[in-house]
Amino acid sequence: MKALRWYEANDIRVETIDEPVTAPGKVKIQVEWTGICGSDLHEYAAGPIFVPVKEPHYVSQDRAPIVTGHEFSGRVIEVGTGVTRVQPGDPVVVEPILSCGECAACKKGKYNLCKHLGFHGLSGGGGGFAEYTVVDEHMVHKMPDGLSFEQGALVEPAAVALHAVRLSKLKAGDKAAVFGAGPMGLLVIEALRAADASEIYGVELSPERAAKARELGARVVINPKEENVVERLQELTNGGVDVAFEVTDVPVVLQQAIDATIFEGETVIVSIWESEASVQPNNVVLQERTVKGIIAYRDIFPAVMELMQQGYFQAEKLVTKRISLDDMVTEGFKALVKEKNHIKILVKSQSV
Ligand SMILES: [Zn+2]
Ligand SMILES: [Zn+2]
């Protein structure tokens, strides 16, 4: 079958590899659509971050070169013995977290905080940028009627956004700011709408992304090249937002996000970082503010699909380009690294 494999930073290849085979407790999926994610770009441009290179990953027992792609939907075509959650023919999305099931976090059900955390499609064992992939039964969620496969490919990134908002201190009626209106920032804006934030502000350089942020629910989008973001947000909100979401991984933005919150405000870091970011801790201390991180999601895929059925996180509004597996390197990764006006690029895994 055809698959995209990561070899090292700046070296990803579309190749023909063996089709994965089903085993007891496992589900074989014919992949339909897979989204290109910020993490895929980080691995491409500056990896490895999650890709195991020297040692095999604790759970997948696999290492580079590995098949990538962790935001995908598809159809079950075969199940191993003992599988009861799904049957052949079912449309599914995959919750790609790999966790050990044995560490302290896993034992408390917080599998996204597993000390061996990995992702199917980043940490070995297969992935969505392939015609087929095989996953453990517990990773599969059956899609409800009415959700398209394209929509299914957005469940994973929308789950990150919804988890970020759910773990924040935001209450209905609160004010929020989202720093960065790339795909994840835009999904956070929608998750804030779902959580009944009263005022949502965006901070974004790209005019295309700023327009999209307004379309999806941001009241005002500030261009940090043209205005002092912190002053403007304080002015608009009468002192600062209750919660700021940092979704850029640009070092200077972290301090801005903290400073844009009101006293006792909270900053939620959603980005994965390529470098260090410095902050003045007094700006946290003297206003009793909080800074919190979130990683991935847990126990939230069904809720995301429920919200999608209500009209949130719609693919038609977020997908700006559809490409084939063959064109991934040039049309996908290189385009996304170069142009910042794209939102979500989806990859079709089956050749038509
Ligand atoms: Zn992702
Ligand atoms: Zn664990």
Side-chain angles (χ1 to χ4, degrees):
M1 67 167 186
K2 230 181 264 172
L4 180 87
R5 290 207 292 180
W6 186 99
Y7 277 77
E8 57 183 7
N10 295 303
D11 183 4
I12 53 173
R13 305 175 200 172
V14 178
E15 329 180 278
T16 302
I17 61 169
D18 289 341
E19 226 175 277
V21 288
T22 319
K26 299 205 182 252
V27 175
K28 181 170 179 178
I29 296 162
Q30 177 175 309
V31 182
E32 287 288 335
W33 288 99
T34 306
I36 303 180
C37 168
S39 330
D40 297 321
L41 296 178
H42 282 304
E43 297 289 355
Y44 173 63
I49 298 165
F50 284 108
V51 179
V53 176
K54 290 200 186 82
E55 295 293 320
H57 185 268
Y58 185 83
V59 180
S60 74
Q61 290 298 314
D62 192 10
R63 60 181 172 143
I66 54 120
V67 178
T68 54
H70 59 277
E71 304 180 352
F72 61 98
S73 61
R75 206 176 273 289
V76 175
I77 52 164
E78 209 183 314
V79 297
T81 50
V83 171
T84 54
R85 267 168 82 100
V86 288
Q87 52 190 27
D90 284 347
V92 291
V93 295
V94 168
E95 179 171 350
I97 288 185
L98 304 179
S99 55
C100 73
E102 302 151 3
C103 72
C106 281
K107 282 195 174 137
K108 286 221 151 173
K110 305 202 173 190
Y111 56 89
N112 62 322
L113 307 181
C114 173
K115 69 173 181 182
H116 299 291
L117 177 70
F119 295 88
H120 185 79
L122 281 173
S123 315
F129 295 134
E131 291 177 81
Y132 303 94
T133 197
V134 169
V135 299
D136 285 348
E137 177 184 19
H138 75 267
M139 297 162 75
V140 165
H141 296 269
K142 196 172 162 187
M143 282 168 54
D145 291 340
L147 284 198
S148 66
F149 282 120
E150 288 197 20
Q151 194 61 53
L154 292 177
V155 172
E156 197 271 352
V160 177
L162 192 62
H163 181 69
V165 171
R166 278 191 6 172
L167 260 63
S168 76
K169 59 172 280 199
L170 184 111
K171 300 277 185 294
D174 280 355
K175 300 167 189 171
V178 181
F179 287 74
M184 189 51 66
L186 292 168
L187 291 165
V188 171
I189 288 173
E190 286 210 69
L192 284 165
R193 243 179 53 223
D196 286 331
S198 63
E199 297 171 20
I200 305 167
Y201 299 95
V203 180
E204 172 61 44
L205 287 167
S206 145
E208 290 88 354
R209 288 177 170 186
K212 189 55 84 172
R214 278 190 293 271
E215 183 192 329
L216 295 176
R219 171 187 274 204
V220 176
V221 181
I222 302 163
N223 182 335
K225 277 251 162 73
E226 289 166 2
E227 290 181 276
N228 180 314
V229 178
V230 175
E231 279 174 17
R232 187 74 210 286
L233 279 170
Q234 284 170 344
E235 185 186 292
L236 285 163
T237 57
N238 210 357
V241 293
D242 298 291
V243 185
F245 292 85
E246 193 297 314
V247 204
T248 64
D249 87 299
V250 174
V252 295
V253 174
L254 182 57
Q255 183 75 67
Q256 290 173 358
I258 293 168
D259 293 347
T261 60
I262 197 163
F263 58 88
E264 297 184 315
E266 182 181 66
T267 302
V268 179
I269 305 176
V270 184
S271 309
I272 304 279
W273 297 74
E274 286 179 10
S275 65
E276 291 182 2
S278 68
V279 296
Q280 166 51 271
N282 282 344
N283 295 24
V284 176
V285 174
L286 300 179
Q287 292 288 292
E288 297 192 346
R289 289 164 164 146
T290 332
V291 178
K292 180 184 181 64
I294 67 105
I295 177 71
Y297 33 73
R298 61 177 175 263
D299 305 320
I300 205 171
F301 271 45
V304 170
M305 293 193 282
E306 187 72 40
L307 286 173
M308 284 177 167
Q309 286 183 298
Q310 291 174 24
Y312 290 95
F313 313 121
Q314 289 308 295
E316 302 90 81
K317 292 186 177 164
L318 296 160
V319 177
T320 47
K321 196 173 177 181
R322 294 163 181 80
I323 60 174
S324 72
L325 208 48
D326 293 303
D327 300 329
M328 274 215 62
V329 181
T330 48
E331 298 281 311
F333 283 74
K334 288 185 179 161
L336 279 169
V337 169
K338 235 182 348 191
E339 306 160 39
K340 290 293 170 205
N341 54 350
H342 274 298
I343 301 190
K344 204 49 155 177
I345 298 184
L346 290 191
V347 179
K348 183 80 180 155
S349 288
Q350 307 296 320
S351 1
V352 209

